[in-house]
Amino acid sequence: MGQALLRLAPEHGDVRVVGGIGSTRTELSGVPVCTIDDAAELMRRSDVVIDFSTPSATAELIDRAGTLLAGRALVIGTTGLSEAARQRLDELTAEVAVLSAANFSVGVNLLLGLVERAAAALDPDVFDIEIIEAHHRRKADAPSGTAIALGEAAARGRGSPLAPLRRDGRSGTIGARTPGEI
């Protein structure tokens, strides 16, 4: 996503990438990259902070730079955040406009709404829901944030949180599926 942002920003006169935050100081496509330790000035010059990184980097950004985010917008596309990081993110919404999503694709977000509606319309004693995903070999998280979001949409459609319905790793001869599980 960072590469796409760097490629597309010059096409929009009102968008300017002022820098990036990474594990080391460097430059990427002519944009300076600093560490979180050096990010204060970068964040002061920013209207929006966009984070598509890792759960640990996002948690560090929220914890260490939270006060610098006041009055700015924060866009997060990182999934797999700990409960503590999600709670801290919720607390930040008092001072920061936050947009957090498992997937920013228009098609996937349309699919999430359709899955919720379908799950609401289909009797769980008759219709099963199974989410199967495949990724390139470098995919770091499994299930992906998108797969979890699809499960959450299906569970919402059935009027339940995902946790009691979720079953991971069906493999081999394990017997019939429990009615209603996702």
Side-chain angles (χ1 to χ4, degrees):
M1 288 301 290
Q3 291 291 334
L5 182 63
L6 289 171
R7 187 179 70 254
L8 295 171
E11 296 175 15
H12 302 275
D14 56 344
V15 175
R16 184 171 62 93
V17 179
V18 297
I21 302 171
S23 57
T24 59
R25 289 174 157 239
T26 187
E27 189 174 287
L28 184 61
S29 299
V31 174
V33 176
C34 63
T35 67
I36 191 72
D37 295 327
D38 306 321
E41 180 55 33
L42 173 66
M43 292 179 73
R44 281 188 201 97
R45 294 183 300 143
S46 303
D47 297 319
V48 179
V49 174
I50 301 171
D51 177 48
F52 282 79
S53 60
T54 64
S56 61
T58 299
E60 187 174 11
L61 173 70
I62 294 167
D63 288 340
R64 295 186 60 199
T67 56
L68 293 171
L69 292 168
R72 288 162 182 75
L74 176 62
V75 176
I76 296 181
T78 304
T79 59
L81 298 177
S82 69
E83 188 56 41
R86 281 195 296 268
Q87 183 175 351
R88 177 69 178 116
L89 190 58
D90 285 345
E91 293 166 3
L92 275 178
T93 62
E95 311 165 18
V96 179
V98 175
L99 172 61
S100 179
N103 192 303
F104 280 80
S105 160
V106 172
V108 168
N109 281 281
L110 176 60
L111 177 62
L112 291 170
L114 293 171
V115 165
E116 184 173 344
R117 290 181 67 188
L122 300 173
D123 182 347
D125 291 328
V126 178
F127 294 93
D128 293 332
I129 297 173
E130 185 168 3
I131 300 165
I132 301 168
E133 66 175 340
H135 292 279
H136 52 82
R137 64 186 169 101
R138 292 176 302 282
K139 179 72 171 143
D141 58 331
S144 68
T146 301
I148 292 169
L150 287 165
E152 289 170 342
R156 266 192 317 276
R158 290 190 168 171
S160 173
L162 179 59
L165 303 177
R166 180 176 169 175
R167 302 291 176 268
D168 288 347
R170 283 185 56 86
S171 181
T173 306
I174 61 170
R177 201 178 270 155
T178 304
E181 79 178 25
I182 299 173

